[in-house]
Amino acid sequence: MKVLVTGGCGYIGSHTVCELLYANHEVVILDDFSNSKKDVLQKIETLTGQKPRFYEGKVQDKALLKEIFESQKIEAVIHFAGYKAVGESVEKPLMYYENNLESTLHLLEIMQEFSCKNFVFSSSATVYGSPKSLPIKEDFPLSTTNPYGTTKLMIEQILKDLSKSDPTWNITILRYFNPIGNEKTGLLGENPQGIPNNLMPYIVRVANGILPCLSVFGDDYGTPDGTGVRDYIHVVDLAKGHVKALEHFSGLRIYNLGTGHGYSVLDLVKTFEKVNGVKVPYKIVERRKGDIAACYADPTKAQQELGWTAEETLEDMCRDSYQYIIQEAKREKSLK
Ligand code: UFG
């Protein structure tokens, strides 16, 4: 299939582009580098031996979208592009609503115009809010606690309405749990600017001495060791889920992409230390506002309907995450 990947240079997007190319799909990337680096394109080529057609720009730009659809015979779209920082979305809600909603609306309008009706949307477990029980199934009640999450939920609603109005659309909504890790060579990975918000990017920076100490946000949750529990999923497994979604389009579908296992913050720290032979100093601090105690998926539906299962272990995720930061530091040093 010829697939347009918006945000194809980002963390999940770039891994998905590689998996699509390995599975012999043709890829066109649209990205504005707002949260990625230009060298990702070269890295994709090094890994896959292929150079996807690339357009630099914003998904909101309808003229650019039109140009892409006029010149490329796009058969399906995977839509990753969007702002994703929870804290920033609370500070700048209008920016989040404008960017995430407008881009998706413009994209869907152009797709409709060109009769391209195969769409995979990058949603998040954040749409389950604070779940009433665990593990989380796709039909659980939905709610959000911040504007970022609300944009995901609103887009899901737009997609449901669109599918109802025109059942010839194939729309697959993928709700991701907590992606970490990276492809095995350590070439592609997650490299957030400044101080990371998420746990794994923080841990790797403490492990290699860029940051002094991890703050563990609370040890008084109702979890086995009192720290927050999440369903960490290897980003390559997550990327493979998108290839499966493309190959199983059928009307409106919604899937959890998670492993089904919950690990605590301290499980992650200890596993990381063990597999990498490093120390991750940490201190317990106050809970972070807006955090929930525990969240993990029931991934049965994706197993049964897409034939997809996460295969990588927590050990793999910890090893790969650290490899990337070591390799990236070497690459940066060699450029100086
Ligand atoms: N944590 C720490 N210290 C840190 C960072 C995180 O103790 O420095 C803890 C958090 O309290 C939480 C766990 O590590 O218990 C995971 O936190 P992350 O920030 O890595 O991930 P979240 O589960 O908070 O959020 C992530 C994405 C969201 C997405 C959500 C979906 O960042 O975009 O998963 O479940 F919506």
Side-chain angles (χ1 to χ4, degrees):
M1 229 185 246
K2 188 160 184 178
V3 191
L4 172 64
V5 182
T6 74
C9 294
Y11 171 50
I12 307 174
S14 58
H15 283 88
T16 302
V17 165
C18 291
E19 293 305 320
L20 288 167
L21 294 170
Y22 295 142
N24 295 319
H25 293 288
E26 205 179 329
V27 175
V28 176
I29 299 176
L30 170 60
D31 201 299
D32 66 355
F33 298 119
S34 58
N35 193 24
S36 56
K37 287 191 183 161
K38 294 197 174 168
D39 66 1
V40 168
L41 291 168
Q42 181 54 54
K43 289 175 175 178
I44 289 172
E45 194 181 342
T46 305
L47 285 169
T48 65
Q50 295 182 62
K51 196 174 179 173
R53 181 82 169 85
F54 174 72
Y55 291 85
E56 182 169 352
K58 292 204 141 323
V59 184
Q60 279 99 317
D61 184 345
K62 266 189 147 174
L64 175 59
L65 287 177
K66 226 176 176 150
E67 185 193 323
I68 297 172
F69 276 83
E70 265 160 6
S71 55
Q72 310 287 333
K73 287 210 167 353
I74 304 291
E75 294 168 279
V77 175
I78 306 182
H79 182 37
F80 291 105
Y83 294 155
K84 60 165 195 171
V86 174
E88 186 185 49
S89 81
V90 177
E91 310 278 311
K92 300 175 182 168
L94 297 182
M95 190 176 101
Y96 269 67
Y97 287 116
E98 193 206 13
N99 185 71
N100 292 3
L101 295 178
E102 195 178 57
S103 57
T104 309
L105 286 171
H106 286 185
L107 181 58
L108 293 169
E109 281 161 10
I110 295 290
M111 287 179 71
Q112 195 156 41
E113 195 178 317
F114 284 83
S115 291
C116 171
K117 297 185 181 177
N118 297 316
F119 191 71
V120 178
F121 178 59
S122 159
S123 189
S124 161
T126 195
V127 299
Y128 295 114
S130 187
K132 60 176 187 346
S133 63
L134 294 165
I136 299 170
K137 285 182 185 288
E138 287 83 353
D139 60 1
F140 271 29
L142 305 176
S143 69
T144 57
T145 54
N146 59 73
Y148 154 73
T150 310
T151 66
K152 292 290 180 197
L153 194 51
M154 288 168 102
I155 294 168
E156 287 201 5
Q157 188 58 51
I158 290 168
L159 294 171
K160 288 172 190 169
D161 290 340
L162 181 61
S163 160
K164 224 179 267 172
S165 75
D166 176 358
T168 65
W169 275 87
N170 292 313
I171 296 172
T172 303
I173 294 171
L174 300 177
R175 294 180 180 150
Y176 313 150
F177 282 71
N178 289 54
I180 59 173
N182 36 261
E183 53 73 37
K184 302 282 172 206
T185 71
L187 200 55
L188 285 180
E190 190 179 21
N191 201 356
Q193 304 292 314
I195 308 281
N197 296 308
N198 296 115
L199 182 58
M200 184 55 99
Y202 209 106
I203 289 178
V204 294
R205 280 162 182 73
V206 173
N208 80 346
I210 298 173
L211 293 169
C213 179
L214 170 71
S215 294
V216 175
F217 299 141
D219 68 348
D220 56 352
Y221 287 106
T223 58
D225 65 18
T227 66
V229 165
R230 297 290 184 274
D231 186 340
Y232 296 98
I233 172 170
H234 197 293
V235 71
V236 172
D237 278 332
L238 192 72
K240 288 178 180 165
H242 293 75
V243 180
K244 291 284 188 186
L246 268 193
E247 293 167 352
H248 291 78
F249 274 131
S250 169
L252 179 76
R253 299 290 186 103
I254 302 176
Y255 299 105
N256 284 340
L257 293 186
T259 65
H261 302 290
Y263 291 105
S264 73
V265 175
L266 295 183
D267 288 335
L268 201 64
V269 169
K270 284 173 191 152
T271 307
F272 191 95
E273 289 186 326
K274 191 181 80 197
V275 300
N276 294 313
V278 289
K279 277 275 158 225
V280 180
Y282 69 85
K283 60 173 188 272
I284 308 291
V285 301
E286 290 285 283
R287 289 181 180 192
R288 183 170 66 179
K289 220 172 137 237
D291 271 354
I292 54 173
C295 167
Y296 54 90
D298 179 342
T300 311
K301 197 174 167 209
Q303 276 162 19
Q304 288 175 344
E305 295 183 15
L306 299 178
W308 171 88
T309 315
E311 285 166 357
E312 306 274 343
T313 64
L314 195 67
E315 280 78 8
D316 298 325
M317 300 181 216
C318 288
R319 198 177 296 115
D320 294 343
S321 296
Y322 196 46
Q323 258 315 305
Y324 169 71
I325 203 80
I326 292 171
Q327 302 289 343
E328 192 68 358
K330 278 190 198 152
R331 284 189 288 270
E332 278 168 13
K333 209 168 163 195
S334 74
L335 289 176
K336 279 178 190 161

